[in-house]
Amino acid sequence: MKISFPRMGYSYIAFKWLVENLGHECIVPPEPSKRTLDLGVQHSPEFACIPFKLLTGTYLEVAEMGAELIITSGGMGPCRAGYYWVMHQYLLDELDQNIRVMAFEPPLCDLKDFFQKLYWIKSSSGLSLHAFLQVLKVAWQKLIAIDDVEMRSHELRPLEINRGQTTRTLWKALERLDQADTLEEVETGRLEGLKHLDSIELDRTRRPIKIGIIGEIYVVLEPAANHYIQIMLGEMGVETNRSIYLTTYARTSTIVDLEGDIYAKARPYLNEAPIGGHGANSVGETVLYAEHGFDGVVQLAPFGCIPEIVAKSILPRVSRDLDIPVLTIFIDEQTGKAGVQTRLEAFVDLLERKRISKESRRGR
Amino acid sequence: MSKIGIPRTLEYFLFFPFWKGFFTELGHEVVVSPVTNKAIVEKGVEEAVNDACIPIKIYHGHVAQLADRVDYLFCPRLVSMRKGGDFGTETFCPKFLGLPDMIRATMENIPPIIDTRIDLKKGKNEMAAVCREIGASLGNQGPEITRAYKRGQALQEQYQALQRQGMLPDEAEERLFKNKTTTPEKTGPKPDLNIALVGYPYAVYDHYINAGLLKLLQKEGGRVFTQEMLTQAQMEREAETLPKNMFWYFSNQVVYGALHYLRRSEIDGIIHVTTFACGPDSMVDRLIEIEAKKRSQKPYLSIMIDEHSGDAGVRTRVEAFLDMLRYRRDKR
């Protein structure tokens, strides 16, 4: 069977390997392009958020490439994302696309459905239970390795002497991880990737501004949706710390819930959690970044994202109380790279001046 | 005795009689903000976060109207109305969940907010518990609160019964609180079209933001059916016909209502009222559109209202829709 899935950042490398090693043909979703967006905008409801539109476009593109099944995640709200797959199936049927969307709902809600789907995947792969679990394990390690090298790259990029070297090294490391087939190879790929990143020529005397990136998961994770914001900031000499990685997300959203802490941080400002998506997280994470001495926070969200609008209306108060500037960027189909860049440059300027005046006050 | 301010929007249309009965019985005075008007909308647009949807902006406007006239602002945190939806996960739109915090963070000089959490899926005694919490915070005693709770409930039941008989909320409210027994003379022609009008109560029943849609329909010879005229059982039946329920209480009510009216042969057409930038409605509207096409031959019209909606725009579309319905009927 020809299987595809939504694309989110570099995670496609691990998912591609997973699908192929389950004995299916993988249709790798292409990086969202102008065409993806145009297709998505044309066929999605006007006020659907940008992740919905990009996914509509992606699904239509993979359908063209011959995909028969899309595996995605469900959700139990109140963020709209949990209803995406239903709506996408409706839209794809309307367009006479012969493609099925299969969604994994949170296992805590419907354990039976979850295992039925898992069982279907296992039996369609023809693997023994042991081999099946082994494949899942390698894919999971791959995801962790991908996140590890990416995280390191964002720390190093602001210090690089030759602009673009970190990004090129990261891509090479990702290519190596793409080739890895066993747990050992993944681990070697991860260590080598980190080693190559660490051997980049750096100027350690720089003191980069530190910015926390918070917001809605899709636009935070998918560089093509946020105009490569982390690379852009890194090349402006800013160290970024992203609040969400797929591996942390998956770790906290299963049976063990590590997000309770974040909600406690948000409680003085937002006395209800979760409020869907990463709305309450955004408030809590801003508090955390302020406590950890970050210079500023950038909130990324799709235009019309309900939980992030709630967060946005509350963040000015957090920002005032804790003295941490917050820049909110709502992304829609009209957002251009130059616009984002101008706003970021102005924001970074502001943060630099703020730091200088703070330090001179302290020096006096 | 305190003055309790209740904004005349959002959940107002859903269970105002309950709270009016409850607070009055406890000896407090209920102050309701005026009917939505231009000044309220403008004030709301100015106060609220600019990305918010129109209903939330209007809510801010109503709060501003009440701010210096009351001792407490009643803005409960609506979490759930019942154990509904798939696996009992039905809740409200995130903006309802964060509403008290949004008001607190964005507006200045507002009275203390009663933001009690209303999470009725926990059990059938939950509402009584909520009332005890609110009553206690206002300094009332146990037995009083129980009596007030019962009074509120009685009024609420009457209110819903009147709506199920086909009465619109403002008529039902007048009947309940002003003891008007005669229904006002209906002007205009005898209705010859049956129109199902679905949408959130705060869009359907707020005559200002929907540019007088209800009156317009009645004047043009339409008999209006809304989802509030249905029983829960009638709604529930539709839940099973969907691949997955929505997560939001109001949205589910709209979808069930629309699906129910699609089955009814006497209904000539369906109108969905939606508000600008409403997140859930981006899904709801397309879902009803697709299902209407799949399940019936009934024409479907979607009307989006925003802060600029003049009545000319709405009027033109509604008149064209009704003309088309008559043309279809006569051709058959």
Side-chain angles (χ1 to χ4, degrees):
Chain A
M1 201 169 216
K2 292 178 179 169
I3 297 181
S4 193
F5 47 84
R7 179 171 172 132
M8 262 205 205
Y10 306 119
S11 63
Y12 71 91
I13 295 172
F15 290 128
K16 181 186 87 172
W17 187 89
L18 179 64
V19 170
E20 280 170 355
N21 283 274
L22 290 174
H24 294 285
E25 191 180 329
C26 181
I27 306 288
V28 181
E31 181 170 42
S33 61
K34 177 89 179 45
R35 178 165 182 267
T36 319
L37 188 56
D38 286 346
L39 272 174
V41 169
Q42 191 186 342
H43 297 291
S44 307
E46 188 186 352
F47 282 101
C49 40
I50 202 85
F52 184 91
K53 291 178 182 174
L54 281 173
L55 288 182
T56 308
T58 303
Y59 292 171
L60 287 170
E61 283 180 326
V62 296
E64 252 170 41
M65 293 154 79
E68 297 158 290
L69 177 72
I70 291 163
I71 298 182
T72 180
S73 64
M76 279 301 155
C79 166
R80 278 178 277 180
Y83 211 75
Y84 275 12
W85 70 268
V86 185
M87 228 35 233
H88 277 132
Q89 186 72 71
Y90 270 116
L91 294 178
L92 291 168
D93 289 348
E94 274 250 304
L95 295 168
D96 282 330
Q97 302 286 337
N98 192 13
I99 190 165
R100 201 159 66 83
V101 185
M102 179 199 251
F104 279 93
E105 299 290 358
L108 278 182
C109 277
D110 195 350
L111 204 58
K112 191 171 152 228
D113 176 75
F114 185 80
F115 278 112
Q116 269 171 354
K117 283 173 179 159
L118 213 56
Y119 183 77
W120 178 87
I121 290 182
K122 184 199 156 283
S123 52
S124 70
S125 70
L127 294 175
S128 69
L129 184 63
H130 176 75
F132 178 68
L133 290 177
Q134 192 61 22
V135 167
L136 287 183
K137 208 163 154 193
V138 175
W140 175 244
Q141 287 305 323
K142 245 187 194 210
L143 270 181
I144 291 180
I146 291 165
D147 280 355
D148 277 359
V149 291
E150 203 198 340
M151 276 182 215
R152 185 67 58 89
S153 80
H154 297 312
E155 283 166 26
L156 299 175
R157 191 174 291 108
L159 303 174
E160 70 187 5
I161 286 172
N162 303 313
R163 179 184 271 207
Q165 199 184 352
T166 315
T167 309
R168 283 192 296 275
T169 315
L170 169 68
W171 283 345
K172 263 192 212 119
L174 292 173
E175 267 168 38
R176 204 166 308 124
L177 282 170
D178 192 14
Q179 303 302 322
D181 275 325
T182 62
L183 281 178
E184 292 72 38
E185 283 173 27
V186 171
E187 185 59 14
T188 335
R190 188 179 79 94
L191 291 174
E192 286 216 340
L194 291 175
K195 204 174 87 196
H196 283 126
L197 280 168
D198 285 337
S199 57
I200 293 172
E201 225 182 316
L202 298 178
D203 176 1
R204 293 271 180 194
T205 60
R206 288 184 203 162
R207 289 191 307 133
I209 289 279
K210 277 159 81 180
I211 290 183
I213 309 259
I214 60 167
E216 189 272 340
I217 180 165
Y218 183 86
V219 294
V220 167
L221 287 187
E222 178 51 61
N226 64 31
H227 303 278
Y228 293 89
I229 192 168
Q230 281 191 287
I231 295 181
M232 205 193 271
L233 279 169
E235 292 183 350
M236 284 179 205
V238 175
E239 182 183 331
T240 52
N241 185 297
R242 199 165 85 198
S243 59
I244 313 168
Y245 282 90
L246 213 50
T247 45
T248 49
Y249 177 72
R251 272 176 210 148
T252 51
S253 286
T254 43
I255 314 244
V256 187
D257 189 3
L258 297 176
E259 292 184 19
D261 188 31
I262 272 287
Y263 296 154
K265 292 280 176 204
R267 199 151 301 132
Y269 301 96
L270 176 63
N271 193 14
E272 174 73 32
I275 57 162
H278 286 75
N281 300 50
S282 288
V283 176
E285 282 152 9
T286 306
V287 176
L288 273 179
Y289 281 131
E291 287 174 357
H292 284 79
F294 273 69
D295 298 287
V297 166
V298 172
Q299 182 196 15
L300 287 176
F303 173 72
C305 171
I306 323 170
E308 295 299 332
I309 289 174
V310 177
K312 186 192 172 188
S313 76
I314 293 169
L315 283 178
R317 210 171 133 206
V318 184
S319 167
R320 225 179 308 141
D321 284 3
L322 303 176
D323 193 29
I324 183 163
V326 178
L327 172 71
T328 300
I329 298 184
F330 274 107
I331 295 170
D332 68 6
E333 54 261 42
Q334 310 292 342
T335 310
K337 185 166 186 167
V340 173
Q341 182 150 11
T342 314
R343 293 171 66 192
L344 286 177
E345 279 167 2
F347 187 62
V348 172
D349 258 8
L350 179 140
L351 295 182
E352 271 167 0
R353 274 198 213 153
K354 193 160 178 279
R355 182 162 79 176
I356 291 170
S357 75
K358 218 191 226 168
E359 282 172 352
S360 68
R361 243 182 294 143
R362 208 177 291 149
R364 235 182 276 151
Chain B
M1 192 190 120
S2 319
K3 280 187 181 168
I4 314 280
I6 301 187
R8 197 188 288 268
T9 181
L10 297 190
E11 69 268 17
Y12 172 89
F13 302 97
L14 188 69
F15 49 28
F16 170 70
F18 179 85
W19 295 114
K20 165 104 176 169
F22 176 72
F23 287 123
T24 317
E25 188 72 24
L26 283 179
H28 303 292
E29 188 189 338
V30 171
V31 182
V32 183
S33 59
V35 178
T36 311
N37 56 41
K38 192 157 183 254
I40 289 181
V41 176
E42 277 171 5
K43 181 73 181 162
V45 170
E46 188 188 308
E47 290 280 348
V49 57
N50 59 349
D51 308 273
C53 54
I54 295 308
I56 292 293
K57 288 183 177 175
I58 291 176
Y59 191 87
H60 284 67
H62 279 274
V63 170
Q65 285 282 330
L66 291 167
D68 47 5
R69 292 167 48 201
V70 297
D71 304 318
Y72 292 98
L73 179 71
F74 185 58
C75 173
R77 194 189 301 278
L78 293 181
V79 179
S80 69
M81 291 298 292
R82 58 195 183 121
K83 201 169 166 63
D86 295 329
F87 317 112
T89 53
E90 188 183 81
T91 176
F92 280 84
C93 164
K95 283 178 197 153
F96 282 84
L97 298 177
L99 191 57
D101 303 296
M102 284 171 93
I103 297 286
R104 237 181 245 128
T106 48
M107 296 184 73
E108 279 166 13
N109 303 323
I110 43 165
I113 297 179
I114 303 178
D115 65 345
T116 311
R117 201 165 180 272
I118 301 188
D119 191 0
L120 303 186
K121 69 168 173 291
K122 286 186 196 159
K124 66 176 192 305
N125 297 324
E126 186 60 20
M127 195 63 185
V130 166
C131 286
R132 274 198 298 280
E133 194 185 326
I134 296 174
S137 72
L138 291 170
N140 291 100
Q141 304 298 324
E144 272 186 295
I145 299 173
T146 315
R147 202 170 57 232
Y149 166 66
K150 287 198 174 127
R151 172 77 185 135
Q153 236 181 2
L155 281 170
Q156 183 67 20
E157 270 161 25
Q158 286 175 40
Y159 179 65
Q160 282 170 348
L162 288 173
Q163 284 193 321
R164 283 195 198 112
Q165 286 163 25
M167 209 176 263
L168 295 170
D170 27 7
E171 292 166 14
E173 210 185 295
E174 284 204 337
R175 174 79 64 94
L176 277 183
F177 295 111
K178 295 187 185 142
N179 291 320
K180 272 195 189 168
T181 41
T182 50
T183 37
E185 266 321 290
K186 291 254 166 65
T187 48
K190 209 171 146 18
D192 67 330
L193 284 172
N194 292 319
I195 309 292
L197 183 62
V198 294
Y200 302 134
Y202 47 85
V204 171
Y205 301 126
D206 189 324
H207 303 303
Y208 181 80
I209 62 167
N210 66 26
L213 181 60
L214 275 172
K215 287 194 187 109
L216 176 66
L217 281 170
Q218 283 165 347
K219 209 175 120 216
E220 295 291 330
R223 185 160 173 239
V224 178
F225 293 80
T226 65
Q227 80 250 10
E228 275 73 28
M229 295 176 187
L230 302 176
T231 61
Q232 261 328 301
Q234 282 172 313
M235 300 269 220
E236 242 22 87
R237 212 168 300 144
E238 305 301 331
E240 285 144 34
T241 65
L242 287 170
K244 182 174 179 177
N245 283 288
M246 300 246 165
F247 315 127
W248 316 286
Y249 172 77
F250 280 130
S251 306
N252 272 336
Q253 298 292 307
V254 170
V255 172
Y256 301 159
L259 295 181
H260 174 86
Y261 286 123
L262 283 175
R263 284 174 202 274
R264 296 255 292 256
S265 55
E266 78 272 24
I267 299 290
D268 298 293
I270 299 208
I271 299 181
H272 178 217
V273 190
T274 160
T275 50
F276 185 82
C278 173
D281 264 1
S282 62
M283 306 268 158
V284 172
D285 190 55
R286 186 60 73 89
L287 181 89
I288 302 179
E289 187 189 327
I290 294 175
E291 288 293 352
K293 221 183 293 174
K294 238 194 248 175
R295 296 187 187 194
S296 75
Q297 303 283 316
K298 291 194 206 308
Y300 170 73
L301 172 71
S302 161
I303 292 184
M304 181 174 285
I305 48 185
D306 59 27
E307 67 260 55
H308 310 298
S309 270
D311 64 336
V314 172
R315 174 180 293 270
T316 316
R317 273 178 288 167
V318 169
E319 280 177 359
F321 186 66
L322 296 184
D323 277 353
M324 183 267 293
L325 291 182
R326 290 201 176 91
Y327 176 75
R328 261 172 66 100
R329 184 190 59 197
D330 297 343
K331 226 175 74 177
R332 245 187 247 141

